[in-house]
Amino acid sequence: MSQQQRKPWIVGVSGASGTPFAAAVLRGLLAAGESVDLVVSRASRLTLLDETGISFRDAHWQEDLSAWLARGADGKPHTFEVDVSGVRHWAAGDLAAGPSSGSYPAKGMLIVPASTACAAGVALGLSKDLLQRAASVTLKERRKLVVAVRETPLNGQTLKHLVTLDEAGAVVLPASPAFYAGATHIQDLVDFVAGRVLDAAGVPHRLYRRWEGELGGGSRG
């Protein structure tokens, strides 16, 4: 696909715990044939290292991303086979990057996971890094913005920030897994949240069993 035809989803990964959610969303987007522009914040690299042992390096991002996306939520490597050729990486400190401008073509942005600090920055219109700037651009251009906040409990100030995001047109999507889909493994719970993020973006997937109005459907496997 030429650069003129390419219209990616921007995926921002902030420093909240929950890097498996981001990995599942990225795998889902790529499986659906979507192009992805990836922004991994400085704080999220510490979380990724803590949760997976993977160091995400700008100079070796393809190698590190491949290792991350191949990893299951249970920590086992080589669980998935993923082609990352549809991903373009932008350094979080690059405020001259494509996603920093409204004229850059994009379908929208998914922040997964979103820390409360990240949510506050976007709600207040800050642009301390490319992730926040790209989110602000997404809102001003009236594109889809999904904020998968991952924190508990939530204080009053954070709740106000989330209301501000909702009023600005964002979809506030807490990373809260459900159990009616028949989850039997940690990956199932992660995939449920990732699937709901993709649902909000309008991206087709088969990450979880949908509710069909029949009680006990999930327990039958």
Side-chain angles (χ1 to χ4, degrees), residues 83-155:
D83 179 2
V84 300
S85 61
V87 180
R88 182 173 186 179
H89 168 256
W90 299 96
D94 185 3
L95 290 177
S100 68
S101 172
S103 65
Y104 183 78
K107 291 184 177 180
M109 183 173 184
L110 315 175
I111 305 179
V112 188
S115 66
T116 54
C118 174
V122 177
L124 295 172
L126 305 181
S127 294
K128 76 176 186 66
D129 61 9
L130 180 59
L131 195 160
Q132 289 187 7
R133 173 58 186 169
S136 295
V137 168
T138 300
L139 286 176
K140 81 180 183 67
E141 297 295 327
R142 302 296 191 265
R143 297 169 184 158
K144 178 75 72 176
L145 175 64
V146 182
V147 181
V149 62
R150 215 303 308 159
E151 184 61 89
T152 190
L154 298 174
N155 64 30

Side-chain angles (χ1 to χ4, degrees), residues 74-85:
D74 58 1
K76 293 181 180 179
H78 313 301
T79 300
F80 301 98
E81 292 185 10
V82 184
D83 179 2
V84 300
S85 61

